[in-house]
Amino acid sequence: MAANWDILWTNARIATMAPGAAKASGPAGAAPYGLIEAGAVAVAGDEIAWVGPAADAPGDAVRACGHVVDCDGRLITPGLIDCHTHLVYGGNRAREFEMRLEGATYEDIARAGGGINSTVRETRAADEDALVAAALPRLWRLMADGVTTIEIKSGYGLDTENELKMLRTARRLGAANPVTVATTFLGAHALPPEYEGRADAYIDLVCDEMIPAVSAAGAADAVDAFCETIAFSPKQVERVFQAAAAHGLPVKLHAEQLSDQSGAAMAARHGALSADHLEYLSDADAKVLAAHGTAAVLLPGAFYFLRETKLPPLAVLRAHGAAIAIASDSNPGSSPVVSLLLMLNMACTLFRMTPEEALAGVTRNAAQALGMADRIGTVEAGKRADLVQWRVADPAELAYRIGDDPCAAVMWGGHTEPRP
Ligand code: NIG
Ligand code: FE
Protein backbone atom coordinates (compact mmCIF):
# COMPACT_ATOMS: atom_id res chain seq x y z
CA MET A 1 0.00 0.00 0.00
CA ALA A 2 1.46 3.39 -0.99
CA ALA A 3 2.04 5.70 1.95
CA ASN A 4 0.04 8.91 1.89
CA TRP A 5 2.46 11.78 2.41
CA ASP A 6 1.30 15.38 2.60
CA ILE A 7 4.73 17.02 2.48
CA LEU A 8 8.22 15.85 1.61
CA TRP A 9 11.26 17.94 2.54
CA THR A 10 14.11 16.52 0.49
CA ASN A 11 17.75 17.21 -0.42
CA ALA A 12 18.67 18.12 3.14
CA ARG A 13 21.23 17.20 5.79
CA ILE A 14 19.13 15.90 8.68
CA ALA A 15 20.41 16.06 12.26
CA THR A 16 17.86 13.58 13.60
CA MET A 17 19.24 13.74 17.19
CA ALA A 18 17.94 10.17 17.52
CA PRO A 19 19.05 8.36 20.71
CA GLY A 20 22.76 7.62 20.86
CA ALA A 21 23.53 10.52 18.55
CA ALA A 22 25.09 12.80 21.16
CA LYS A 23 27.30 10.12 22.67
CA ALA A 24 28.91 8.62 19.65
CA SER A 25 31.42 10.09 17.31
CA GLY A 26 33.89 7.22 17.06
CA PRO A 27 33.89 5.16 13.88
CA ALA A 28 31.88 2.37 15.51
CA GLY A 29 29.19 4.66 16.94
CA ALA A 30 26.17 6.30 15.41
CA ALA A 31 26.84 9.35 13.24
CA PRO A 32 27.26 12.54 15.29
CA TYR A 33 23.95 14.39 15.60
CA GLY A 34 22.31 11.25 14.11
CA LEU A 35 23.16 12.90 10.80
CA ILE A 36 21.62 11.69 7.54
CA GLU A 37 23.32 13.08 4.42
CA ALA A 38 21.23 13.80 1.30
CA GLY A 39 18.19 13.05 3.40
CA ALA A 40 14.44 13.43 3.13
CA VAL A 41 11.67 13.63 5.70
CA ALA A 42 8.03 12.91 4.87
CA VAL A 43 5.05 14.17 6.84
CA ALA A 44 1.51 12.78 6.99
CA GLY A 45 -0.99 14.82 9.02
CA ASP A 46 0.85 16.14 12.04
CA GLU A 47 3.39 13.30 12.17
CA ILE A 48 6.69 12.34 10.61
CA ALA A 49 5.87 9.42 8.34
CA TRP A 50 9.32 8.57 7.03
CA VAL A 51 12.92 9.80 7.33
CA GLY A 52 16.10 8.54 5.68
CA PRO A 53 18.45 9.03 2.75
CA ALA A 54 16.37 10.49 -0.12
CA ALA A 55 17.65 7.73 -2.41
CA ASP A 56 15.94 5.16 -0.19
CA ALA A 57 12.52 6.86 -0.16
CA PRO A 58 9.80 4.61 -1.62
CA GLY A 59 9.25 5.89 -5.19
CA ASP A 60 5.46 5.46 -5.28
CA ALA A 61 5.04 7.51 -2.10
CA VAL A 62 7.33 10.26 -3.43
CA ARG A 63 5.43 10.42 -6.75
CA ALA A 64 2.05 10.52 -4.97
CA CYS A 65 3.14 13.32 -2.61
CA GLY A 66 1.59 16.61 -3.70
CA HIS A 67 4.03 18.92 -1.92
CA VAL A 68 7.75 18.25 -2.41
CA VAL A 69 10.19 20.89 -1.15
CA ASP A 70 13.82 20.94 -2.31
CA CYS A 71 15.79 22.09 0.75
CA ASP A 72 18.86 22.89 -1.31
CA GLY A 73 21.22 21.06 1.05
CA ARG A 74 20.06 23.00 4.12
CA LEU A 75 20.24 21.47 7.60
CA ILE A 76 17.06 20.09 9.19
CA THR A 77 16.80 19.54 12.95
CA PRO A 78 13.94 18.70 15.28
CA GLY A 79 12.02 21.80 16.35
CA LEU A 80 13.81 23.33 19.34
CA ILE A 81 12.32 22.92 22.81
CA ASP A 82 12.71 25.57 25.52
CA CYS A 83 11.92 23.41 28.56
CA HIS A 84 12.22 26.06 31.32
CA THR A 85 10.82 29.59 31.05
CA HIS A 86 8.98 32.18 33.11
CA LEU A 87 7.76 33.95 29.98
CA VAL A 88 4.58 35.42 31.51
CA TYR A 89 5.12 38.37 33.86
CA GLY A 90 4.39 42.05 34.37
CA GLY A 91 7.01 44.80 34.28
CA ASN A 92 10.75 44.28 34.21
CA ARG A 93 13.70 44.47 36.60
CA ALA A 94 16.19 46.65 34.76
CA ARG A 95 16.61 48.75 37.93
CA GLU A 96 17.72 45.65 39.85
CA PHE A 97 20.23 44.95 37.11
CA GLU A 98 21.69 48.37 37.86
CA MET A 99 21.65 47.66 41.62
CA ARG A 100 23.55 44.43 41.11
CA LEU A 101 26.11 46.25 39.00
CA GLU A 102 26.51 48.64 41.94
CA GLY A 103 27.30 45.68 44.23
CA ALA A 104 24.00 44.27 45.57
CA THR A 105 23.54 40.50 45.24
CA TYR A 106 20.47 38.68 43.90
CA GLU A 107 19.81 37.45 47.47
CA ASP A 108 20.22 40.97 48.98
CA ILE A 109 17.62 42.34 46.58
CA ALA A 110 15.22 39.44 47.23
CA ARG A 111 15.51 39.83 51.02
CA ALA A 112 14.80 43.57 50.70
CA GLY A 113 11.42 42.81 49.08
CA GLY A 114 12.64 43.20 45.51
CA GLY A 115 13.49 40.31 43.25
CA ILE A 116 10.69 37.84 42.53
CA ASN A 117 8.29 39.79 44.79
CA SER A 118 8.67 42.98 42.76
CA THR A 119 7.56 41.03 39.68
CA VAL A 120 4.71 39.57 41.77
CA ARG A 121 3.41 43.09 42.44
CA GLU A 122 3.43 43.96 38.72
CA THR A 123 1.99 40.62 37.65
CA ARG A 124 -0.87 40.81 40.15
CA ALA A 125 -1.69 44.31 38.87
CA ALA A 126 -1.87 43.21 35.21
CA ASP A 127 -4.93 41.59 33.65
CA GLU A 128 -4.74 38.58 31.34
CA ASP A 129 -4.82 40.68 28.16
CA ALA A 130 -1.92 42.80 29.38
CA LEU A 131 0.09 39.70 30.31
CA VAL A 132 -0.55 38.17 26.87
CA ALA A 133 0.51 41.41 25.17
CA ALA A 134 3.70 41.61 27.24
CA ALA A 135 4.67 37.98 26.63
CA LEU A 136 3.90 37.82 22.89
CA PRO A 137 7.03 39.62 21.61
CA ARG A 138 9.19 37.42 23.83
CA LEU A 139 7.45 34.31 22.52
CA TRP A 140 7.79 35.43 18.90
CA ARG A 141 11.49 36.07 19.36
CA LEU A 142 11.99 32.55 20.71
CA MET A 143 9.87 31.10 17.88
CA ALA A 144 12.09 32.91 15.39
CA ASP A 145 14.97 30.84 16.80
CA GLY A 146 13.15 27.65 15.79
CA VAL A 147 11.39 26.97 19.10
CA THR A 148 8.36 24.74 18.46
CA THR A 149 7.65 23.75 22.09
CA ILE A 150 7.98 25.98 25.13
CA GLU A 151 7.36 25.40 28.80
CA ILE A 152 5.89 28.39 30.68
CA LYS A 153 5.69 28.55 34.47
CA SER A 154 3.45 30.49 36.79
CA GLY A 155 5.05 31.70 40.02
CA TYR A 156 4.56 35.48 39.97
CA GLY A 157 0.96 35.37 41.19
CA LEU A 158 1.47 33.54 44.51
CA ASP A 159 -2.22 33.40 45.30
CA THR A 160 -4.80 31.09 43.78
CA GLU A 161 -6.47 33.63 41.53
CA ASN A 162 -3.27 35.15 40.17
CA GLU A 163 -1.50 31.82 39.66
CA LEU A 164 -4.52 30.63 37.66
CA LYS A 165 -4.46 33.91 35.69
CA MET A 166 -0.81 33.28 34.74
CA LEU A 167 -1.52 29.69 33.67
CA ARG A 168 -4.53 30.80 31.59
CA THR A 169 -2.31 33.42 29.97
CA ALA A 170 0.23 30.72 29.07
CA ARG A 171 -2.51 28.51 27.59
CA ARG A 172 -3.81 31.48 25.58
CA LEU A 173 -0.33 32.06 24.14
CA GLY A 174 -0.35 28.43 23.01
CA ALA A 175 -3.82 28.63 21.51
CA ALA A 176 -3.01 31.80 19.54
CA ASN A 177 0.31 30.55 18.13
CA PRO A 178 1.52 27.42 16.35
CA VAL A 179 4.03 26.71 19.13
CA THR A 180 3.16 23.98 21.67
CA VAL A 181 2.96 25.38 25.21
CA ALA A 182 3.48 23.15 28.27
CA THR A 183 2.41 24.88 31.49
CA THR A 184 3.92 24.43 34.94
CA PHE A 185 2.44 25.54 38.25
CA LEU A 186 5.16 27.22 40.35
CA GLY A 187 3.16 28.45 43.33
CA ALA A 188 6.08 27.61 45.65
CA HIS A 189 8.39 30.10 43.91
CA ALA A 190 8.71 32.68 46.68
CA LEU A 191 6.95 33.63 49.90
CA PRO A 192 4.41 36.36 49.12
CA PRO A 193 4.58 39.39 51.45
CA GLU A 194 1.22 38.64 53.11
CA TYR A 195 2.71 35.35 54.41
CA GLU A 196 5.93 36.92 55.80
CA GLY A 197 7.20 34.66 58.60
CA ARG A 198 4.56 32.00 57.85
CA ALA A 199 6.15 29.87 55.14
CA ASP A 200 4.52 26.65 56.32
CA ALA A 201 1.09 28.28 56.20
CA TYR A 202 1.78 29.38 52.61
CA ILE A 203 2.78 25.82 51.71
CA ASP A 204 -0.56 24.71 53.22
CA LEU A 205 -2.29 27.10 50.81
CA VAL A 206 -0.25 25.76 47.86
CA CYS A 207 -1.07 22.15 48.76
CA ASP A 208 -4.65 22.44 50.01
CA GLU A 209 -6.08 25.13 47.75
CA MET A 210 -3.87 26.02 44.79
CA ILE A 211 -2.89 22.56 43.52
CA PRO A 212 -6.46 21.24 43.74
CA ALA A 213 -7.73 24.36 41.91
CA VAL A 214 -5.03 24.15 39.23
CA SER A 215 -5.74 20.46 38.78
CA ALA A 216 -9.52 20.94 38.58
CA ALA A 217 -9.03 23.62 35.91
CA GLY A 218 -6.60 21.43 33.94
CA ALA A 219 -4.38 24.51 34.00
CA ALA A 220 -0.96 22.88 34.47
CA ASP A 221 0.96 19.98 32.99
CA ALA A 222 3.48 19.83 35.88
CA VAL A 223 4.33 21.29 39.28
CA ASP A 224 7.62 23.04 40.12
CA ALA A 225 9.07 24.70 43.24
CA PHE A 226 12.11 26.77 44.23
CA CYS A 227 14.24 24.97 46.84
CA GLU A 228 16.64 27.56 48.28
CA THR A 229 17.47 29.50 51.44
CA ILE A 230 15.56 32.51 50.02
CA ALA A 231 12.63 30.30 49.03
CA PHE A 232 11.51 26.90 50.41
CA SER A 233 13.21 24.06 52.30
CA PRO A 234 13.43 20.49 50.98
CA LYS A 235 10.84 19.49 53.61
CA GLN A 236 8.38 22.14 52.41
CA VAL A 237 9.00 21.19 48.78
CA GLU A 238 8.33 17.53 49.61
CA ARG A 239 4.86 18.49 50.80
CA VAL A 240 4.25 20.25 47.48
CA PHE A 241 5.42 17.14 45.62
CA GLN A 242 3.07 14.94 47.65
CA ALA A 243 0.11 17.18 46.82
CA ALA A 244 1.13 17.14 43.14
CA ALA A 245 1.33 13.35 43.17
CA ALA A 246 -2.10 13.14 44.78
CA HIS A 247 -3.44 15.03 41.75
CA GLY A 248 -1.47 12.99 39.21
CA LEU A 249 0.79 15.89 38.27
CA PRO A 250 4.49 15.29 37.49
CA VAL A 251 7.05 17.39 39.36
CA LYS A 252 10.30 19.25 38.73
CA LEU A 253 12.46 21.55 40.85
CA HIS A 254 14.59 24.70 40.84
CA ALA A 255 17.48 23.22 42.80
CA GLU A 256 21.02 24.06 43.83
CA GLN A 257 20.98 27.44 42.07
CA LEU A 258 22.56 29.51 44.87
CA SER A 259 23.51 26.87 47.46
CA ASP A 260 23.49 23.11 47.99
CA GLN A 261 20.21 22.06 49.67
CA SER A 262 20.31 18.51 48.22
CA GLY A 263 17.00 19.41 46.59
CA ALA A 264 17.76 17.79 43.24
CA ALA A 265 18.36 14.36 44.78
CA MET A 266 15.15 14.69 46.81
CA ALA A 267 13.30 15.60 43.61
CA ALA A 268 14.83 12.63 41.78
CA ARG A 269 13.63 10.32 44.55
CA HIS A 270 10.14 11.69 43.97
CA GLY A 271 10.45 10.73 40.30
CA ALA A 272 10.89 14.33 39.11
CA LEU A 273 11.02 14.94 35.38
CA SER A 274 13.88 17.39 35.86
CA ALA A 275 16.02 19.31 38.32
CA ASP A 276 17.02 22.71 37.05
CA HIS A 277 19.95 25.18 37.53
CA LEU A 278 22.28 22.82 39.52
CA GLU A 279 25.38 25.00 39.82
CA TYR A 280 25.79 23.88 43.47
CA LEU A 281 24.87 20.21 42.82
CA SER A 282 27.27 17.81 44.57
CA ASP A 283 28.94 15.01 42.65
CA ALA A 284 27.05 12.44 44.77
CA ASP A 285 23.69 14.05 43.94
CA ALA A 286 24.60 14.27 40.24
CA LYS A 287 24.80 10.47 40.32
CA VAL A 288 21.40 10.26 42.03
CA LEU A 289 19.86 12.39 39.24
CA ALA A 290 21.35 10.17 36.55
CA ALA A 291 20.29 6.97 38.33
CA HIS A 292 16.65 8.11 38.55
CA GLY A 293 16.43 9.33 34.94
CA THR A 294 15.69 12.87 36.15
CA ALA A 295 16.87 15.30 33.47
CA ALA A 296 19.48 17.89 34.49
CA VAL A 297 18.33 21.21 33.03
CA LEU A 298 21.20 23.71 32.86
CA LEU A 299 20.42 27.41 32.49
CA PRO A 300 23.45 29.27 31.13
CA GLY A 301 21.53 32.54 30.80
CA ALA A 302 20.99 32.76 34.59
CA PHE A 303 24.59 31.66 35.22
CA TYR A 304 25.79 34.45 32.94
CA PHE A 305 23.39 37.17 34.05
CA LEU A 306 24.01 36.60 37.78
CA ARG A 307 27.75 36.41 37.05
CA GLU A 308 27.86 33.04 38.80
CA THR A 309 31.28 31.41 38.88
CA LYS A 310 30.43 27.98 40.31
CA LEU A 311 29.99 25.57 37.41
CA PRO A 312 27.44 22.73 37.43
CA PRO A 313 29.18 19.32 37.74
CA LEU A 314 29.02 18.62 34.03
CA ALA A 315 31.72 15.95 33.95
CA VAL A 316 29.95 13.86 36.61
CA LEU A 317 26.55 14.27 34.95
CA ARG A 318 28.08 13.29 31.64
CA ALA A 319 30.02 10.32 33.06
CA HIS A 320 26.84 8.89 34.60
CA GLY A 321 24.75 9.35 31.51
CA ALA A 322 22.36 11.99 32.84
CA ALA A 323 20.08 13.57 30.24
CA ILE A 324 21.41 17.14 30.12
CA ALA A 325 19.00 19.76 28.79
CA ILE A 326 19.55 23.48 28.16
CA ALA A 327 16.89 26.19 28.48
CA SER A 328 16.56 29.96 28.41
CA ASP A 329 15.00 30.38 31.90
CA SER A 330 13.53 33.49 30.27
CA ASN A 331 12.49 35.68 33.22
CA PRO A 332 12.81 39.32 34.31
CA GLY A 333 15.19 38.79 37.22
CA SER A 334 17.91 36.26 36.55
CA SER A 335 17.75 35.61 32.81
CA PRO A 336 16.09 38.23 30.59
CA VAL A 337 16.88 36.03 27.60
CA VAL A 338 14.78 35.55 24.47
CA SER A 339 17.17 33.51 22.31
CA LEU A 340 17.58 29.76 22.67
CA LEU A 341 20.41 29.74 20.11
CA LEU A 342 22.36 32.10 22.38
CA MET A 343 21.90 29.51 25.14
CA LEU A 344 23.54 26.90 22.89
CA ASN A 345 26.54 29.17 22.52
CA MET A 346 26.69 29.88 26.26
CA ALA A 347 26.33 26.17 27.14
CA CYS A 348 29.46 25.60 25.06
CA THR A 349 31.51 28.65 26.05
CA LEU A 350 30.54 28.79 29.75
CA PHE A 351 29.86 25.12 30.58
CA ARG A 352 32.21 23.55 28.01
CA MET A 353 29.48 21.41 26.52
CA THR A 354 30.03 20.26 22.96
CA PRO A 355 27.80 21.78 20.25
CA GLU A 356 26.31 18.30 19.82
CA GLU A 357 25.48 18.03 23.54
CA ALA A 358 24.01 21.53 23.46
CA LEU A 359 21.76 20.67 20.50
CA ALA A 360 20.67 17.45 22.24
CA GLY A 361 19.95 19.71 25.24
CA VAL A 362 17.33 21.72 23.33
CA THR A 363 15.84 18.75 21.47
CA ARG A 364 15.87 15.16 22.74
CA ASN A 365 16.84 15.88 26.36
CA ALA A 366 14.54 18.89 26.63
CA ALA A 367 11.69 16.62 25.50
CA GLN A 368 12.60 14.24 28.31
CA ALA A 369 12.62 17.12 30.80
CA LEU A 370 8.99 17.83 29.80
CA GLY A 371 7.94 14.17 29.82
CA MET A 372 7.25 14.48 26.09
CA ALA A 373 10.04 12.28 24.72
CA ASP A 374 7.55 9.94 23.04
CA ARG A 375 6.14 12.84 20.95
CA ILE A 376 8.91 15.35 20.20
CA GLY A 377 12.67 15.94 20.34
CA THR A 378 14.00 13.85 17.45
CA VAL A 379 13.37 13.47 13.72
CA GLU A 380 11.96 9.94 13.75
CA ALA A 381 8.91 8.34 12.18
CA GLY A 382 5.89 8.57 14.48
CA LYS A 383 7.02 11.78 16.20
CA ARG A 384 5.18 15.07 15.81
CA ALA A 385 6.28 16.90 12.67
CA ASP A 386 8.02 19.79 14.42
CA LEU A 387 10.98 20.55 12.16
CA VAL A 388 13.33 23.42 11.41
CA GLN A 389 15.30 24.20 8.25
CA TRP A 390 18.47 26.18 8.90
CA ARG A 391 20.67 28.26 6.60
CA VAL A 392 23.77 26.44 7.84
CA ALA A 393 25.64 23.39 6.62
CA ASP A 394 27.20 22.12 9.84
CA PRO A 395 25.05 21.67 12.98
CA ALA A 396 27.90 23.07 15.11
CA GLU A 397 27.18 26.44 13.46
CA LEU A 398 23.96 26.69 15.48
CA ALA A 399 26.02 26.96 18.68
CA TYR A 400 28.87 28.89 17.12
CA ARG A 401 27.45 32.19 15.90
CA ILE A 402 26.09 34.87 18.21
CA GLY A 403 23.22 37.15 17.20
CA ASP A 404 22.67 35.47 13.85
CA ASP A 405 19.26 34.59 12.41
CA PRO A 406 19.81 31.23 10.68
CA CYS A 407 16.26 29.85 10.86
CA ALA A 408 14.96 29.47 7.27
CA ALA A 409 11.63 27.70 7.83
CA VAL A 410 9.70 26.02 10.61
CA MET A 411 7.13 23.22 10.48
CA TRP A 412 4.74 23.05 13.41
CA GLY A 413 2.95 19.70 13.66
CA GLY A 414 2.93 19.35 9.87
CA HIS A 415 2.03 22.98 9.12
CA THR A 416 4.39 25.59 7.79
CA GLU A 417 3.40 29.12 8.66
CA PRO A 418 5.18 32.40 8.14
CA ARG A 419 7.62 33.05 10.92
CA PRO A 420 6.43 35.71 13.38
O1 NIG B 1 14.83 30.40 37.47
N1 NIG B 1 15.32 30.77 40.72
C1 NIG B 1 14.17 31.18 40.77
N2 NIG B 1 13.43 31.55 39.76
C2 NIG B 1 13.90 32.20 38.58
C3 NIG B 1 14.18 33.62 38.81
C4 NIG B 1 12.97 34.35 38.87
C5 NIG B 1 13.17 35.81 39.10
O2 NIG B 1 14.22 36.27 39.59
O3 NIG B 1 12.20 36.50 38.79
C6 NIG B 1 15.07 31.48 37.97
O4 NIG B 1 16.21 31.95 37.97
FE1 FE C 1 13.57 29.36 36.54
Side-chain angles (χ1 to χ4, degrees):
M1 192 185 72
N4 220 347
W5 294 347
D6 298 313
I7 304 175
L8 182 70
W9 279 5
T10 190
N11 187 21
R13 300 187 85 202
I14 305 177
T16 65
M17 303 312 290
K23 287 185 206 113
S25 40
Y33 301 93
L35 207 60
I36 298 172
E37 299 291 353
V41 54
V43 174
D46 65 354
E47 280 189 1
I48 297 170
W50 186 91
V51 59
D56 296 350
D60 51 350
V62 175
R63 279 187 295 277
C65 179
H67 190 175
V68 179
V69 178
D70 182 342
C71 297
D72 211 12
R74 281 195 285 271
L75 179 74
I76 291 176
T77 68
L80 304 192
I81 301 165
D82 195 350
C83 67
H84 179 143
T85 86
H86 310 249
L87 202 75
V88 170
Y89 57 82
N92 71 69
R93 307 232 293 273
R95 176 61 198 130
E96 289 180 10
F97 176 51
E98 291 178 320
M99 286 163 69
R100 284 194 301 105
L101 290 171
E102 287 156 10
T105 68
Y106 185 73
E107 290 99 317
D108 292 340
I109 293 168
R111 289 188 202 286
I116 292 171
N117 266 320
S118 82
T119 301
V120 170
R121 285 190 288 278
E122 301 223 44
T123 304
R124 284 177 173 178
D127 67 15
E128 235 175 273
D129 288 345
L131 290 176
V132 168
L136 261 179
R138 299 191 278 266
L139 179 62
W140 286 341
R141 186 60 201 86
L142 285 163
M143 288 166 67
D145 260 7
V147 171
T148 53
T149 299
I150 185 170
E151 185 255 20
I152 302 178
K153 302 176 194 295
S154 65
Y156 295 122
L158 307 187
D159 61 35
T160 307
E161 181 196 334
N162 283 296
E163 285 292 301
L164 283 169
K165 177 179 75 180
M166 288 189 71
L167 293 168
R168 279 195 305 270
T169 301
R171 291 272 197 237
R172 266 178 65 181
L173 290 167
N177 290 279
V179 70
T180 300
V181 171
T183 59
T184 300
F185 168 66
L186 177 57
H189 191 195
L191 192 63
E194 61 274 19
Y195 276 85
E196 185 65 51
R198 297 187 296 134
D200 285 315
Y202 180 66
I203 293 296
D204 288 344
L205 181 76
V206 168
C207 296
D208 301 340
E209 185 179 306
M210 291 192 198
I211 289 178
V214 164
S215 167
D221 302 310
V223 170
D224 193 352
F226 187 17
C227 187
E228 192 52 70
T229 52
I230 56 168
F232 300 101
S233 69
K235 270 214 162 65
Q236 290 165 335
V237 171
E238 268 195 294
R239 291 178 52 210
V240 174
F241 284 179
Q242 280 155 4
H247 286 84
L249 288 165
V251 297
K252 46 181 56 219
L253 188 63
H254 283 71
E256 276 72 82
Q257 180 186 10
L258 308 170
S259 63
D260 183 5
Q261 306 285 311
S262 238
M266 180 275 289
R269 291 191 187 95
H270 281 265
L273 290 172
S274 71
D276 304 38
H277 284 288
L278 306 179
E279 283 88 339
Y280 288 82
L281 183 70
S282 67
D283 290 357
D285 285 358
K287 292 179 199 164
V288 176
L289 272 194
H292 284 81
T294 294
V297 179
L298 305 184
L299 304 168
F303 177 93
Y304 165 81
F305 195 70
L306 297 183
R307 288 185 298 157
E308 180 58 70
T309 52
K310 175 95 170 64
L311 285 162
L314 192 78
V316 183
L317 290 167
R318 193 186 266 145
H320 289 82
I324 302 170
I326 299 295
S328 71
D329 195 16
S330 190
N331 78 69
S334 66
S335 189
V337 164
V338 286
S339 167
L340 197 55
L341 291 178
L342 178 61
M343 297 302 97
L344 293 194
N345 178 271
M346 287 189 176
C348 298
T349 52
L350 300 175
F351 296 164
R352 291 283 180 268
M353 290 175 70
T354 67
E356 190 179 1
E357 285 176 322
L359 189 58
V362 294
T363 54
R364 188 181 66 246
N365 291 342
Q368 181 176 329
L370 293 180
M372 297 172 81
D374 57 333
R375 289 295 293 139
I376 55 173
T378 62
V379 184
E380 291 180 286
K383 291 255 173 112
R384 192 177 145 83
D386 285 349
L387 301 166
V388 184
Q389 271 183 48
W390 304 96
R391 278 182 290 268
V392 305
D394 180 343
E397 290 178 58
L398 297 177
Y400 157 70
R401 268 185 214 96
I402 298 174
D404 196 13
D405 183 20
C407 176
V410 183
M411 187 186 292
W412 324 83
H415 294 280
T416 44
E417 294 186 26
R419 240 184 51 178

